[in-house]
Amino acid sequence: MSNHEFQETAHTPVKRKEMSRRQFLAYTLGGATAFMAGGAVLPMIRFAVDPLLEKRAGGSFVKVVEESKVKVGEPTEFKFKIHQVDAWYVSDPEQAAWIMKDDKGKIFALSPVCKHLGCTIGWNTTNANQYVCPCHGAHYTVDGKNLNVAPAPLDEYQVKVENGFVYLGEIIPNTRV
């Protein structure tokens, strides 16, 4: 190697990996955009997920009627209000139940919602001692067993009797038929 070749390579500046202005602006704007997008999206995610993370309270019972007003063998419709919380919407809708005592004196309550298409049933509207759906003619026995049209028996409420009052809980599948 000659002296001349050595000097040429010695005076060559060392190449560094430098960021250009264009790269700097692209990284800065990209980071700022990601930060701002995260600030907008994270509250929406929390808004959607928070209700799912809340512990659901166990089924609560609602005081409906005095035990003495419930008849043996003859269903009576009783209306009551429940406190309902759907995510952030709080309401107190009115519900109904057909409540009666069976031959053994045990109280049970049936849901008035027809299992065919969800209409509200009535008791003894055709003088046949049956629940009848006015929409499509579904018939049910006094225990809620489906006789025609409807694919399943009427649902029933969980029932609790305390201090002379009848309390109703969640709707469950019919256990009487």
Side-chain angles (χ1 to χ4, degrees):
M1 188 159 155
S2 72
N3 212 6
H4 181 359
E5 288 176 4
F6 178 72
Q7 284 181 347
E8 251 184 54
T9 58
H11 293 307
T12 317
V14 178
K15 288 196 174 187
R16 292 189 224 161
K17 290 188 176 182
E18 291 186 7
M19 185 182 302
S20 68
R21 287 187 188 121
R22 182 172 293 194
Q23 286 175 322
F24 173 76
L25 286 174
Y27 291 150
T28 304
L29 289 174
T33 302
F35 180 75
M36 290 171 54
V41 170
L42 287 177
M44 287 187 257
I45 292 172
R46 182 171 178 194
F47 183 79
V49 172
D50 266 356
L52 300 175
L53 298 178
E54 269 187 38
K55 277 192 172 183
R56 185 171 180 225
S60 59
F61 284 82
V62 177
K63 183 193 254 185
V64 177
V65 66
E66 290 180 38
E67 185 179 8
S68 60
K69 292 184 180 179
V70 178
K71 299 175 188 171
V72 177
E74 182 71 23
T76 307
E77 184 179 33
F78 292 100
K79 297 193 182 286
F80 57 97
K81 290 191 178 197
I82 60 169
H83 186 69
Q84 182 173 303
V85 179
D86 292 328
W88 295 271
Y89 181 70
V90 178
S91 63
D92 294 315
E94 186 174 74
Q95 301 285 323
W98 288 97
I99 304 175
M100 69 175 273
K101 288 182 184 176
D102 61 13
D103 297 337
K104 298 173 187 168
K106 183 179 178 189
I107 295 176
F108 70 95
L110 295 175
S111 168
V113 178
C114 179
K115 297 300 278 191
H116 179 231
L117 291 175
C119 295
T120 302
I121 55 137
W123 170 252
N124 207 16
T125 56
T126 60
N127 294 324
N129 287 334
Q130 296 176 346
Y131 293 105
V132 179
C133 176
C135 298
H136 301 99
H139 289 260
Y140 300 90
T141 65
V142 72
D143 287 330
K145 182 180 182 205
N146 52 321
L147 297 175
N148 64 0
V149 181
L154 291 172
D155 289 330
E156 66 179 293
Y157 286 95
Q158 292 176 335
V159 176
K160 178 172 73 170
V161 179
E162 274 184 6
N163 302 326
F165 286 95
V166 176
Y167 293 82
L168 297 184
E170 293 185 9
I171 293 178
I172 58 173
N174 197 322
T175 59
R176 302 185 60 80
V177 294

